[in-house]
């Protein structure tokens, strides 16, 4: 296995030109198919596909007093057994990874950092407690927990040990954790593990956005995203040469061998939580190699929620994929998941160009031309062919495309590259805009935590130009922006609370407009459809994307007879149904809004599956948890 890793690490750093690409590919395939490596890779893939991410947010009454430990445990012959845990340095988001099964989740303030829930330590649990069902693969969200300042009774005894293995340092997996670039967390060994052993990497290290210093609202954040086998440490030269009085570096650290969409979705989850916490006005993204694909995937999928991404600079990104990845997928009995995405014209590569990059993002391309130019091999930068580095689809959207006398690896250590990079970020200016100050209140008390609202801005006269801005329940009076000047229609509400839609507002440059809303509870039944069969597409941490042929989804109760709108296609704008709160189904997800209290029967009919029937009980002011409906084949 070590030989295999060394071969790939060498390839990514730039191999001597006497190596030819088919020869390297053949070497890799031969090494992969050796017993130890093959078994290890297959096991990693199987565990990853069979795992489910449980995610949520922790709220506390004692900010800044971590570590907070979040643990998922199962019952085994009457005993509580922790299957995964994570550590946070403050309140905020968490993720734990579990196999298919039933679990309980709790969190506590580990005052002495001993990974033991001791008497007197403040703690909270999901429900009272409530069991969480984890299907095989995907993500189960909204497992939110509140921890009071004082200790309380929970269904976990004092002295309960989270892990018998005590790491010498508890690393926080909360976005914004402060770590030095020379920390052992960012070792080459861990970077390699993220590529070849993605499941193990996530269990041991997680995926996170790290800071080097406390957040400073006066500095522009630059998010650096590494490539294959990389770590944040690889950006040290760049970071040492930017103006740290103007910019604050952030680093996305992820398992680079994972499906790229999985990494993109994790990036979205982390950035959304940082935005909720710090309300930054703009973000620059800089990405190397495969990291550029992660960044573009994030921008294309989530730009409506992140109009704050203003600048994107890619370095040596294989915009057209890589033939060697395609060769590996076809020839190797065990495949690193990102190889599937990296195949030229794979569904993932095609998805990057279905629509144009948003006008709000200024995009620049950097690449190196120090590579092989012999007649028997495509011109390259010692790793990626020029035809991919200079893919016409990406080039057509770039403001400039800069070439340098460097190779694929040395591009992030080059003075010439760094100088040009600094010339761009130091002189870059984004369009001016105006601001919105949002006032809101809750009309009725809510049973449990108050729902988090969302503001939707629709530029009048421009179709499908919505922006979604997520807020926290305590963000009343918050100033949002800047937004491009213009006339907008606004909608304000929460998934389980009704606000107000189609309020007109004019945003003017350097001006702040105030809006006021009142939220009232709305009873919603919603969920996700999944198949009882295993699916190779259910990557841990990714929303389910199962494609069913739905015949009908109905909800019946006293005086209620509802039938969901069945929406198909990638061009559906789900907001057209969410804003008026119209019952709908799209891409495996169903929603019924505005329900009275009472008992209902949910019936789902899908081609090739047995009908699913379930009783649902709605109580006013108490929101039902999302359902994960497993359909059974006929």
């Amino acid at each position: 296995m070590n030989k295999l890793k060394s071969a790939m690490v060498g390839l990514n750093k730039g191999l001597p030109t006497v190596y030819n690409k088919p020869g390297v590919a053949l070497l890799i395939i031969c090494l992969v198919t050796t017993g130890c490596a093959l078994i290890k890779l297959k096991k990693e893939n199987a565990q990853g596909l069979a795992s489910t991410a449980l995610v949520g947010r922790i709220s506390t009454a004692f900010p800044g007093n971590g570590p907070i430990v979040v643990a998922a445990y199962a019952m085994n012959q009457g005993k509580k057994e922790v299957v995964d845990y994570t550590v946070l340095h403050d309140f905020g988001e968490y993720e734990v990874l579990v196999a298919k099964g039933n679990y309980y989740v709790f969190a506590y303030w580990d005052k002495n950092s001993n990974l033991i829930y001791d008497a007197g330590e403040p703690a909270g649990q999901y429900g009272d407690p409530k069991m969480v069902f984890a299907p095989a693969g995907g993500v189960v969200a909204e497992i939110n927990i509140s921890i009071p300042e004082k200790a309380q009774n929970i269904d976990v005894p004092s002295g309960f040990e989270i892990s018998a293995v005590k790491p010498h340092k508890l690393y926080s997996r909360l976005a914004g954790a402060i770590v030095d670039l020379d920390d052992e967390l960012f070792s080459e060994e861990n970077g390699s593990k993220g590529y070849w052993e993605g499941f193990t990497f996530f269990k041991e290290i997680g995926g996170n956005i790290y800071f080097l210093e406390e957040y400073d609202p006066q500095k522009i954040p630059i998010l650096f995203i590494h490539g294959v086998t990389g770590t944040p440490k690889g950006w040290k030269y760049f970071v040492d040469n930017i103006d740290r009085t103007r910019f604050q570096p952030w680093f996305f650290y992820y398992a680079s061998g994972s499906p790229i969409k999985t990494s993109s979705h994790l990036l979205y989850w982390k950035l959304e939580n940082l935005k909720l916490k710090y309300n930054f006005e703009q973000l620059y993204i800089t990405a190397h190699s495969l990291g550029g694909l992660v960044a573009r995937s994030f921008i294309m999928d989530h730009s409506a929620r992140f109009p704050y991404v203003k600048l994107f600079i890619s370095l040596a990104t294989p915009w057209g994929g890589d033939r060697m990845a395609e060769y590996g997928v076809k020839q190797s009995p065990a495949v690193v998941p990102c190889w599937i995405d990296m195949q030229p014209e794979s569904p993932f590569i095609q998805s990057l160009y279905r629509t144009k990059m948003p006008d709000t993002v200024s995009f620049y391309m950097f690449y190196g031309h120090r590579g092989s130019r012999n007649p028997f091999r495509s011109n390259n930068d010692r790793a990626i062919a020029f035809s991919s580095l200079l893919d016409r689809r990406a080039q057509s959207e770039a403001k400039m495309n800069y070439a340098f006398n460097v190779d694929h690896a040395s591009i992030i250590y080059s003075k010439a590259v760094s100088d040009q990079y600094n010339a761009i970020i130091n002189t870059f200016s984004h369009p001016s805009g105006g601001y919105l100050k949002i006032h809101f209140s809750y009309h009725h008390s809510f049973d449990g935590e108050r729902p988090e609202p969302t503001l939707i801005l629709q530029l009048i006269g421009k179709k499908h130009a919505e922006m979604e801005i997520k807020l926290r329940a305590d963000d009343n009076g918050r100033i949002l922006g800047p937004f491009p000047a213009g006339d907008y229609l606004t909608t304000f509400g929460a998934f389980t609370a009704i606000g107000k839609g189609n309020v007109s507002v004019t945003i003017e440059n350097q001006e702040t407009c105030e809006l006021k809303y009142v939220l009232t509870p709305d009873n919603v039944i919603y969920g996700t459809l999944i198949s009882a069969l295993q699916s190779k597409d259910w990557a841990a941490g990714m929303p389910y994307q199962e494609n069913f042929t739905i015949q009908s989804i109905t909800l019946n109760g006293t005086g209620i007879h509802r039938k969901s709108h069945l929406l198909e296609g990638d061009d559906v704008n789900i907001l057209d149904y969410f804003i008026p709160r119209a019952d709908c189904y799209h891409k495996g997800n169903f929603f019924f809004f505005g329900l009275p209290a009472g008992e209902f029967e949910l019936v789902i009919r899908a081609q090739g599956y047995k009908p699913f029937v379930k009783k649902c009980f709605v109580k006013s002011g108490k929101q039902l948890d999302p359902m994960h409906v497993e359909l059974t084949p006929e």
Side-chain angles (χ1 to χ4, degrees):
M1 188 67 183
N2 290 333
K3 291 181 180 179
L4 174 58
K5 293 179 183 178
S6 299
M8 278 304 293
V9 171
L11 179 63
N12 286 293
K13 290 184 176 180
L15 289 169
T17 55
V18 294
Y19 279 61
N20 62 74
K21 194 169 186 178
V24 173
L26 184 59
L27 171 64
I28 292 170
I29 299 305
C30 290
L31 289 172
V32 167
T33 54
T34 59
C36 173
L38 178 60
I39 293 172
K40 181 76 172 179
L41 190 54
K42 282 186 173 182
K43 182 179 179 181
E44 286 286 326
N45 291 343
Q47 288 178 310
L49 289 172
S51 297
T52 302
L54 306 183
V55 305
R57 293 187 176 95
I58 305 298
S59 58
T60 70
F62 47 90
N65 288 319
I68 295 169
V69 175
V70 187
Y73 66 87
M75 298 301 298
N76 185 6
Q77 296 182 347
K79 295 181 62 177
K80 297 178 174 66
E81 293 185 357
V82 173
V83 295
D84 195 23
Y85 74 93
T86 190
V87 178
L88 315 178
H89 66 274
D90 201 349
F91 68 91
E93 85 287 349
Y94 76 88
E95 313 88 34
V96 291
L97 208 57
V98 299
K100 182 177 181 178
N102 295 305
Y103 301 92
Y104 297 94
V105 185
F106 83 106
Y108 72 99
W109 177 10
D110 193 3
K111 291 184 178 182
N112 54 10
S113 301
N114 65 350
L115 289 181
I116 296 175
Y117 170 52
D118 294 314
E121 292 180 329
Q125 62 192 8
Y126 178 64
D128 50 359
K130 184 171 185 176
M131 184 179 289
V132 178
F133 169 64
V139 57
V140 177
E142 301 297 327
I143 312 299
N144 302 322
I145 298 172
S146 178
I147 304 178
E149 188 169 8
K150 296 182 179 179
Q152 70 174 44
N153 291 326
I154 65 171
D155 194 39
V156 177
S158 59
F160 183 67
E161 186 173 53
I162 304 301
S163 174
V165 179
K166 311 296 182 185
H168 70 277
K169 182 177 181 180
L170 295 180
Y171 287 100
S172 171
R173 298 189 187 181
L174 180 71
I178 299 175
V179 181
D180 190 275
L181 283 182
D182 290 324
D183 194 284
E184 63 182 1
L185 186 70
F186 304 142
S187 67
E188 286 190 11
E189 180 182 359
N190 282 340
S192 181
K193 179 178 290 184
Y195 185 65
W196 294 104
E197 304 171 49
F199 173 80
T200 300
F201 178 95
F202 194 89
K203 293 285 281 188
E204 295 179 355
I205 297 173
N208 201 11
I209 293 178
Y210 291 95
F211 291 6
L212 298 184
E213 59 199 10
E214 295 287 349
Y215 174 76
D216 186 340
Q218 303 303 315
K219 297 179 182 180
I220 298 171
I222 302 178
L223 177 68
F224 293 95
I225 307 177
H226 63 76
V228 165
T229 74
T231 77
K233 187 175 183 178
W235 291 107
K236 193 174 190 310
Y237 183 83
F238 258 61
V239 170
D240 288 345
N241 286 280
I242 62 173
D243 184 353
R244 295 287 291 276
T245 66
R246 291 187 57 200
F247 304 106
Q248 53 188 313
W250 297 355
F251 305 90
F252 181 44
Y253 192 26
Y254 64 104
S256 60
S258 298
I260 301 177
K261 281 283 188 182
T262 300
S263 300
S264 168
H265 189 75
L266 176 62
L267 175 59
Y268 155 71
W269 168 244
K270 291 297 180 179
L271 279 176
E272 181 184 60
N273 285 283
L274 285 175
K275 177 61 183 172
L276 282 171
K277 190 169 187 177
Y278 296 121
N279 193 30
F280 49 87
E281 295 183 357
Q282 52 185 320
L283 175 72
Y284 298 172
I285 296 179
T286 302
H288 177 227
S289 190
L290 179 137
L293 301 180
V294 174
R296 178 163 181 128
S297 178
F298 160 75
I299 292 170
M300 303 311 292
D301 289 346
H302 305 292
S303 59
R305 294 184 174 122
F306 283 89
Y308 320 101
V309 177
K310 302 298 183 182
L311 178 65
F312 172 31
I313 300 177
S314 68
L315 293 84
T317 291
W319 292 115
D322 186 11
R323 291 292 177 192
M324 191 169 74
E326 182 178 55
Y327 187 80
V329 170
K330 290 179 178 179
Q331 300 298 325
S332 174
V335 173
V336 176
C338 72
W339 291 0
I340 298 171
D341 298 329
M342 286 289 294
Q343 297 175 96
E345 298 310 313
S346 67
F348 170 79
I349 293 294
Q350 293 183 49
S351 74
L352 297 178
Y353 307 108
R354 288 200 180 106
T355 58
K356 294 289 186 181
M357 192 172 290
D359 295 337
T360 53
V361 180
S362 293
F363 172 46
Y364 294 83
M365 293 171 58
F366 287 27
Y367 77 101
H369 54 72
R370 186 194 296 168
S372 171
R373 287 181 174 78
N374 67 62
F376 303 105
R377 184 182 177 197
S378 299
N379 291 343
N380 59 83
D381 68 352
R382 292 196 180 190
I384 303 297
F386 287 169
S387 59
S388 181
L389 295 169
L390 302 175
D391 187 283
R392 56 178 175 77
R393 295 165 294 186
Q395 274 204 80
S396 68
E397 297 180 328
K399 290 186 177 296
M400 286 291 293
N401 186 8
Y402 297 94
F404 300 89
N405 185 27
V406 294
D407 60 32
H408 191 79
S410 64
I411 195 169
I412 58 174
Y413 305 104
S414 163
K415 183 178 186 304
V417 173
S418 176
D419 288 346
Q420 181 59 60
Y421 175 83
N422 278 290
I424 294 173
I425 64 172
N426 289 333
T427 59
F428 178 77
S429 61
H430 62 278
S432 59
Y435 298 83
L436 292 174
K437 188 173 185 179
I438 306 297
H439 302 276
F440 63 93
S441 60
Y442 294 86
H443 185 60
H444 297 292
S445 61
F446 287 79
D447 187 355
E449 295 188 6
R450 294 171 297 169
E452 296 182 333
T454 297
L455 174 68
I456 299 173
L457 294 177
Q458 167 68 57
L459 190 60
I460 295 175
K462 194 169 183 181
K463 191 176 181 181
H464 300 320
E466 296 92 349
M467 290 181 284
E468 298 177 59
I469 297 89
K470 295 276 290 184
L471 298 170
R472 295 175 298 191
D474 57 357
D475 273 344
N476 177 43
R478 183 164 172 173
I479 295 177
L480 309 174
F483 304 107
D487 296 323
Y488 293 85
L489 286 178
T490 71
T491 298
F492 188 83
F495 187 68
T496 59
I498 302 172
K500 191 173 183 180
N502 295 328
V503 176
S504 299
V505 63
T506 297
I507 297 178
E508 299 179 354
N509 287 329
Q510 305 306 315
E511 298 293 330
T512 300
C513 180
E514 298 195 26
L515 294 171
K516 295 183 179 181
Y517 301 94
V518 176
L519 291 166
T520 57
D522 183 30
N523 298 320
V524 181
I525 290 177
Y526 65 109
T528 299
L529 304 186
I530 57 179
S531 171
L533 299 176
Q534 295 291 325
S535 170
K536 63 181 178 60
D537 297 321
W538 293 358
M542 272 293 292
Y544 297 100
Q545 295 294 327
E546 192 73 29
N547 293 319
F548 297 98
T549 300
I550 299 298
Q551 297 167 326
S552 66
I553 301 180
T554 59
L555 191 71
N556 297 301
T558 304
I560 296 292
H561 303 284
R562 297 276 193 89
K563 191 171 183 178
S564 183
H565 294 277
L566 305 181
L567 310 176
E568 297 181 356
D570 293 328
D571 58 347
V572 170
N573 185 2
I574 198 68
L575 293 178
D576 291 341
Y577 293 83
F578 275 23
I579 291 174
R581 306 188 79 75
D583 304 337
C584 59
Y585 167 84
H586 186 235
K587 289 189 173 181
N589 301 292
F590 63 90
F591 311 89
F592 288 95
F593 297 100
L595 298 170
E599 178 181 332
F600 299 90
E601 183 180 73
L602 174 68
V603 180
I604 302 173
R605 300 182 186 279
Q607 185 176 319
Y609 292 87
K610 297 177 181 178
F612 174 87
V613 181
K614 182 178 176 63
K615 295 289 185 182
C616 303
F617 299 90
V618 173
K619 178 182 177 182
S620 294
K622 184 176 178 61
Q623 179 53 48
L624 296 177
D625 294 318
M627 301 168 61
H628 284 76
V629 176
E630 280 195 288
L631 298 183
T632 304
E634 291 182 337

